PDB file of all heavy atoms in Angstrom:
ATOM      1  N   PRO A 291     -56.718  -3.304  -2.474  1.00 80.00           N
ATOM      2  CA  PRO A 291     -56.290  -3.315  -3.881  1.00 80.00           C
ATOM      3  C   PRO A 291     -55.858  -1.927  -4.319  1.00 80.00           C
ATOM      4  O   PRO A 291     -56.328  -0.911  -3.790  1.00 80.00           O
ATOM      5  CB  PRO A 291     -57.550  -3.771  -4.630  1.00 80.00           C
ATOM      6  CG  PRO A 291     -58.683  -3.372  -3.736  1.00 80.00           C
ATOM      7  CD  PRO A 291     -58.177  -3.538  -2.327  1.00 80.00           C
ATOM      8  N   PRO A 292     -54.953  -1.852  -5.270  1.00 76.00           N
ATOM      9  CA  PRO A 292     -54.516  -0.535  -5.759  1.00 76.00           C
ATOM     10  C   PRO A 292     -55.651   0.179  -6.454  1.00 76.00           C
ATOM     11  O   PRO A 292     -56.538  -0.450  -7.048  1.00 76.00           O
ATOM     12  CB  PRO A 292     -53.387  -0.878  -6.729  1.00 76.00           C
ATOM     13  CG  PRO A 292     -53.654  -2.283  -7.163  1.00 76.00           C
ATOM     14  CD  PRO A 292     -54.282  -2.963  -5.976  1.00 76.00           C
ATOM     15  N   PRO A 293     -55.691   1.503  -6.405  1.00 78.00           N
ATOM     16  CA  PRO A 293     -56.765   2.255  -7.074  1.00 78.00           C
ATOM     17  C   PRO A 293     -56.694   2.075  -8.579  1.00 78.00           C
ATOM     18  O   PRO A 293     -55.607   1.921  -9.157  1.00 78.00           O
ATOM     19  CB  PRO A 293     -56.480   3.705  -6.670  1.00 78.00           C
ATOM     20  CG  PRO A 293     -55.021   3.739  -6.342  1.00 78.00           C
ATOM     21  CD  PRO A 293     -54.700   2.391  -5.761  1.00 78.00           C
ATOM     22  N   PRO A 294     -57.846   2.069  -9.247  1.00 82.00           N
ATOM     23  CA  PRO A 294     -57.837   1.908 -10.716  1.00 82.00           C
ATOM     24  C   PRO A 294     -57.208   3.115 -11.385  1.00 82.00           C
ATOM     25  O   PRO A 294     -57.243   4.233 -10.852  1.00 82.00           O
ATOM     26  CB  PRO A 294     -59.327   1.796 -11.061  1.00 82.00           C
ATOM     27  CG  PRO A 294     -60.027   2.502  -9.945  1.00 82.00           C
ATOM     28  CD  PRO A 294     -59.208   2.236  -8.704  1.00 82.00           C
ATOM     29  N   PRO A 295     -56.591   2.927 -12.521  1.00 83.00           N
ATOM     30  CA  PRO A 295     -55.973   4.059 -13.234  1.00 83.00           C
ATOM     31  C   PRO A 295     -57.020   5.066 -13.671  1.00 83.00           C
ATOM     32  O   PRO A 295     -58.107   4.700 -14.115  1.00 83.00           O
ATOM     33  CB  PRO A 295     -55.273   3.400 -14.419  1.00 83.00           C
ATOM     34  CG  PRO A 295     -56.011   2.102 -14.623  1.00 83.00           C
ATOM     35  CD  PRO A 295     -56.439   1.652 -13.260  1.00 83.00           C
ATOM     36  N   GLN A 296     -56.683   6.335 -13.532  1.00 81.00           N
ATOM     37  CA  GLN A 296     -57.589   7.397 -13.923  1.00 81.00           C
ATOM     38  C   GLN A 296     -57.551   7.592 -15.433  1.00 81.00           C
ATOM     39  O   GLN A 296     -56.477   7.606 -16.045  1.00 81.00           O
ATOM     40  CB  GLN A 296     -57.206   8.716 -13.217  1.00 81.00           C
ATOM     41  CG  GLN A 296     -57.320   8.643 -11.703  1.00 81.00           C
ATOM     42  CD  GLN A 296     -58.758   8.500 -11.254  1.00 81.00           C
ATOM     43  OE1 GLN A 296     -59.683   8.935 -11.943  1.00 81.00           O
ATOM     44  NE2 GLN A 296     -58.964   7.875 -10.091  1.00 81.00           N
ATOM     45  N   PRO A 297     -58.727   7.747 -16.073  1.00 80.00           N
ATOM     46  CA  PRO A 297     -58.728   7.991 -17.530  1.00 80.00           C
ATOM     47  C   PRO A 297     -58.130   9.357 -17.837  1.00 80.00           C
ATOM     48  O   PRO A 297     -58.288  10.314 -17.076  1.00 80.00           O
ATOM     49  CB  PRO A 297     -60.210   7.925 -17.893  1.00 80.00           C
ATOM     50  CG  PRO A 297     -60.937   8.249 -16.621  1.00 80.00           C
ATOM     51  CD  PRO A 297     -60.088   7.693 -15.501  1.00 80.00           C
ATOM     52  N   LYS A 298     -57.465   9.425 -18.961  1.00 75.00           N
ATOM     53  CA  LYS A 298     -56.838  10.672 -19.362  1.00 75.00           C
ATOM     54  C   LYS A 298     -57.893  11.666 -19.818  1.00 75.00           C
ATOM     55  O   LYS A 298     -58.821  11.322 -20.543  1.00 75.00           O
ATOM     56  CB  LYS A 298     -55.845  10.435 -20.499  1.00 75.00           C
ATOM     57  CG  LYS A 298     -54.632   9.616 -20.079  1.00 75.00           C
ATOM     58  CD  LYS A 298     -53.648   9.506 -21.224  1.00 75.00           C
ATOM     59  CE  LYS A 298     -52.411   8.744 -20.793  1.00 75.00           C
ATOM     60  NZ  LYS A 298     -51.422   8.646 -21.904  1.00 75.00           N
ATOM     61  N   ALA A 299     -57.743  12.885 -19.356  1.00 66.00           N
ATOM     62  CA  ALA A 299     -58.673  13.939 -19.768  1.00 66.00           C
ATOM     63  C   ALA A 299     -58.383  14.349 -21.208  1.00 66.00           C
ATOM     64  O   ALA A 299     -57.273  14.204 -21.716  1.00 66.00           O
ATOM     65  CB  ALA A 299     -58.564  15.144 -18.847  1.00 66.00           C
ATOM     66  N   ASN A 300     -59.416  14.872 -21.867  1.00 64.00           N
ATOM     67  CA  ASN A 300     -59.259  15.313 -23.252  1.00 64.00           C
ATOM     68  C   ASN A 300     -58.269  16.457 -23.332  1.00 64.00           C
ATOM     69  O   ASN A 300     -58.353  17.426 -22.572  1.00 64.00           O
ATOM     70  CB  ASN A 300     -60.604  15.774 -23.829  1.00 64.00           C
ATOM     71  CG  ASN A 300     -61.583  14.615 -23.966  1.00 64.00           C
ATOM     72  OD1 ASN A 300     -61.169  13.468 -24.126  1.00 64.00           O
ATOM     73  ND2 ASN A 300     -62.876  14.920 -23.901  1.00 64.00           N
ATOM     74  N   GLY A 301     -57.325  16.328 -24.243  1.00 54.00           N
ATOM     75  CA  GLY A 301     -56.349  17.401 -24.432  1.00 54.00           C
ATOM     76  C   GLY A 301     -55.124  17.264 -23.569  1.00 54.00           C
ATOM     77  O   GLY A 301     -54.223  18.079 -23.652  1.00 54.00           O
ATOM     78  N   GLN A 302     -55.099  16.230 -22.657  1.00 52.00           N
ATOM     79  CA  GLN A 302     -53.940  16.088 -21.799  1.00 52.00           C
ATOM     80  C   GLN A 302     -52.726  15.676 -22.623  1.00 52.00           C
ATOM     81  O   GLN A 302     -52.801  14.801 -23.477  1.00 52.00           O
ATOM     82  CB  GLN A 302     -54.212  15.029 -20.727  1.00 52.00           C
ATOM     83  CG  GLN A 302     -53.061  14.874 -19.727  1.00 52.00           C
ATOM     84  CD  GLN A 302     -53.428  13.890 -18.630  1.00 52.00           C
ATOM     85  OE1 GLN A 302     -54.560  13.428 -18.582  1.00 52.00           O
ATOM     86  NE2 GLN A 302     -52.484  13.608 -17.763  1.00 52.00           N
ATOM     87  N   GLY A 303     -51.634  16.265 -22.327  1.00 49.00           N
ATOM     88  CA  GLY A 303     -50.397  15.960 -23.036  1.00 49.00           C
ATOM     89  C   GLY A 303     -50.184  16.771 -24.293  1.00 49.00           C
ATOM     90  O   GLY A 303     -49.175  16.609 -24.961  1.00 49.00           O
ATOM     91  N   GLN A 304     -51.155  17.660 -24.635  1.00 49.00           N
ATOM     92  CA  GLN A 304     -50.980  18.437 -25.851  1.00 49.00           C
ATOM     93  C   GLN A 304     -49.990  19.566 -25.671  1.00 49.00           C
ATOM     94  O   GLN A 304     -49.576  20.180 -26.632  1.00 49.00           O
ATOM     95  CB  GLN A 304     -52.316  19.008 -26.309  1.00 49.00           C
ATOM     96  CG  GLN A 304     -53.307  17.926 -26.762  1.00 49.00           C
ATOM     97  CD  GLN A 304     -54.605  18.528 -27.243  1.00 49.00           C
ATOM     98  OE1 GLN A 304     -54.748  19.749 -27.266  1.00 49.00           O
ATOM     99  NE2 GLN A 304     -55.548  17.690 -27.618  1.00 49.00           N
ATOM    100  N   GLY A 305     -49.625  19.849 -24.396  1.00 47.00           N
ATOM    101  CA  GLY A 305     -48.690  20.947 -24.163  1.00 47.00           C
ATOM    102  C   GLY A 305     -47.318  20.669 -24.732  1.00 47.00           C
ATOM    103  O   GLY A 305     -46.522  21.569 -24.889  1.00 47.00           O
ATOM    104  N   HIS A 306     -47.027  19.381 -25.038  1.00 47.00           N
ATOM    105  CA  HIS A 306     -45.721  19.049 -25.560  1.00 47.00           C
ATOM    106  C   HIS A 306     -45.734  18.851 -27.072  1.00 47.00           C
ATOM    107  O   HIS A 306     -44.738  18.496 -27.666  1.00 47.00           O
ATOM    108  CB  HIS A 306     -45.202  17.759 -24.897  1.00 47.00           C
ATOM    109  CG  HIS A 306     -44.995  17.922 -23.430  1.00 47.00           C
ATOM    110  ND1 HIS A 306     -43.937  18.616 -22.899  1.00 47.00           N
ATOM    111  CD2 HIS A 306     -45.733  17.478 -22.381  1.00 47.00           C
ATOM    112  CE1 HIS A 306     -43.991  18.595 -21.590  1.00 47.00           C
ATOM    113  NE2 HIS A 306     -45.065  17.918 -21.246  1.00 47.00           N
ATOM    114  N   SER A 307     -46.895  19.001 -27.699  1.00 44.00           N
ATOM    115  CA  SER A 307     -46.960  18.855 -29.150  1.00 44.00           C
ATOM    116  C   SER A 307     -46.760  20.209 -29.805  1.00 44.00           C
ATOM    117  O   SER A 307     -47.065  21.245 -29.237  1.00 44.00           O
ATOM    118  CB  SER A 307     -48.319  18.261 -29.544  1.00 44.00           C
ATOM    119  OG  SER A 307     -49.362  19.136 -29.177  1.00 44.00           O
TER     120      SER A 307
END
Side-chain angles (χ1 to χ4, degrees):
Q296 297 293 333
K298 293 184 178 181
N300 293 333
Q302 183 176 354
Q304 293 181 2
H306 296 285
S307 63

